Amino acid sequence: MKNLLAPTTLQFMVKPNQESRSAAEHADILANPGFGKHFTDHMVDICWSELGGWHRPRVQPYGPIALDPAAAVLHYAQEVFEGLKAYRHQDGGIYTFRPEMNAERMKRSAARLALPELPTEYFIESLRQLIAVDARWVPDAPDTSLYLRPFMFAKEAFLGVRPAAKVNYYVIASPAGAYFSGGVAPVSIWVSTDYARAGRGGMGAAKTGGNYASSLVAQQEAYDHGCAQVLFLDSEKSKYLEELGGMNVVFVYKDGRIVTPESSSILEGITLDSILQLAKDRGLNVEQRKVTIDEVREGVASGEITEMFACGTAAVVVPIAQFKAANYTIGEADAPAGELTLSLRQELTDIQYGRVADRHGWLTRLDA
Ligand SMILES: *Cc1c(COP(=O)(O)O)cnc(C)c1O
């Protein structure tokens, strides 16, 4: 564990929520939190302007944000976000996982969207500040967490097309239940050939709402075909794998190799990076390279590829049973979860929940 108490020049003003949920309401929500449905009593709000830089950091009651109808984000989607979790450990402490990676990624996303870069120490301090008032919202049941959602958008009221001179950064938080209740269940994935999520020179590597907006019709197509998620291929040839709508994809080969697609339009997942590190720690060979859908089809048919999974913060690791496309299927819908898939998932969550040693220094304590 690292001590990330970097000095911050930001002095947060804290305005407690006079209408915070009662103990009974709180207990009701934590008994069945779901995902992204309920929010804590407070939120962080930091302003940025071209002239003043980052200023007026606040923790305030959770609630609606007043926007001018001409606010640039509503018209031109100048927005980025992050997603990470706070975990309650056995000793009661509240920890988060590799937050400096999220902070750095948010800077890269912001740079791509011509938004200001929030310093890493402000990012981490904003999480601490929110946890300081909303610690009771970090659940303690197995596999539950408090999902933290930092985001930033163009608030300036101006319809001309240029980077906004007024931007706000917020953090909201939402208690999250166990993603899989009753065993980690493999899913079927729809291979989209009509839609791409990003192209060369586009914003595929940025965590921005626009990428999700463009994925929604493909996701709907996936549901229509009985699939849980969609896999996107490259935009030019529909030949190389990219990623799912909000998760990276990984293949395990018979000889123990771990292969994941490489492309400039894939979002660099922190869960993926961590899984690959854990695989390397076990002496497995990791390859980040171009992967064709033909390689996957032939590899699964021949038995070269033995396991497939997707990974991301929300669900951690999801085994993939099958890929379905308009005129072929890869694998079997009832294929069981892979052994290595489950064991890497277990190891990663053991680290996140403090059940094993944090040998890479991935955890940051937020409540002390
Ligand atoms: C957030 C995200 C991921 C997963 O990243 P993690 O850091 O592992 O949560 C993958 N793909 C997309 C498009 C994403 O937005």
Side-chain angles (χ1 to χ4, degrees), residues 105 197 207 212 243 245-248 267 269-272 312-313:
R105 185 170 68 190
R197 71 174 283 280
K207 210 166 177 72
Y212 282 74
E243 60 168 315
M247 285 191 174
N248 299 112
L267 185 114
I270 296 161
T271 314
L272 174 67
T313 296

Side-chain angles (χ1 to χ4, degrees), residues 58-337:
R58 279 172 294 173
V59 175
Q60 60 188 47
Y62 180 94
I65 296 169
L67 279 187
D68 191 291
V73 66
L74 300 177
H75 305 273
Y76 309 126
Q78 198 191 355
E79 181 266 359
V80 298
F81 67 94
E82 269 305 325
L84 68 171
K85 287 171 167 176
Y87 308 89
R88 180 150 336 248
H89 285 194
Q90 200 81 63
D91 63 5
I94 298 169
Y95 294 79
T96 192
F97 185 74
R98 308 185 78 182
E100 58 288 336
M101 296 276 282
N102 296 89
E104 292 299 326
R105 185 170 68 190
M106 194 171 204
K107 285 184 208 168
R108 295 196 298 277
S109 300
R112 180 63 186 82
L113 276 283
L115 285 162
E117 294 179 25
L118 184 78
T120 296
E121 59 271 29
Y122 291 11
F123 181 93
I124 292 171
E125 181 62 18
S126 72
L127 308 179
R128 288 183 185 289
Q129 291 282 336
L130 191 58
I131 291 299
V133 291
D134 280 340
R136 69 172 180 146
W137 290 100
V138 184
D140 60 5
D143 286 328
T144 62
S145 60
L146 182 65
Y147 183 77
L148 304 166
R149 168 54 63 86
F151 60 106
M152 185 197 298
F153 65 81
K155 215 177 203 183
E156 186 184 1
F158 179 63
L159 291 185
V161 180
R162 58 149 172 77
K166 271 182 63 187
V167 169
N168 277 59
Y169 164 84
Y170 298 89
V171 188
I172 58 173
S174 174
Y179 191 89
F180 294 103
S181 46
V184 178
V187 297
S188 291
I189 303 286
W190 176 249
V191 182
S192 176
T193 46
D194 292 344
Y195 303 104
R197 71 174 283 280
R200 191 166 53 84
M203 52 186 197
K207 210 166 177 72
T208 179
N211 289 334
Y212 282 74
S214 86
S215 77
L216 296 176
V217 284
Q219 177 70 51
Q220 190 54 51
E221 208 175 71
Y223 291 148
D224 293 345
H225 288 88
C227 293
Q229 275 280 341
V230 60
L231 170 74
F232 290 102
L233 303 175
D234 76 281
S235 61
E236 264 172 61
K237 299 182 176 144
S238 289
K239 180 176 167 189
Y240 299 104
L241 270 70
E242 295 258 306
E243 60 168 315
L244 309 190
M247 285 191 174
N248 299 112
V249 64
V250 180
F251 300 90
V252 180
Y253 281 67
K254 194 170 66 185
D255 58 11
R257 272 176 304 144
I258 308 282
V259 178
T260 191
E262 180 168 66
S263 147
S264 62
S265 46
I266 291 179
L267 185 114
E268 295 174 274
I270 296 161
T271 314
L272 174 67
D273 185 80
S274 309
I275 289 281
L276 297 183
Q277 183 60 52
L278 296 181
K280 286 179 199 164
D281 293 351
R282 295 179 185 205
L284 301 173
N285 286 321
V286 168
E287 298 176 5
Q288 261 179 303
R289 58 164 169 84
K290 286 191 175 299
V291 178
T292 65
I293 191 70
D294 288 340
E295 173 181 350
V296 175
R297 187 164 43 185
E298 286 156 20
V300 171
S302 71
E304 274 300 298
I305 295 177
T306 51
E307 302 183 23
M308 319 191 275
F309 64 88
C311 60
T313 296
V316 195
V317 166
V318 181
I320 297 172
Q322 180 187 50
F323 287 106
K324 274 166 99 171
N327 45 18
Y328 61 85
T329 63
I330 300 173
E332 307 289 337
D334 57 359

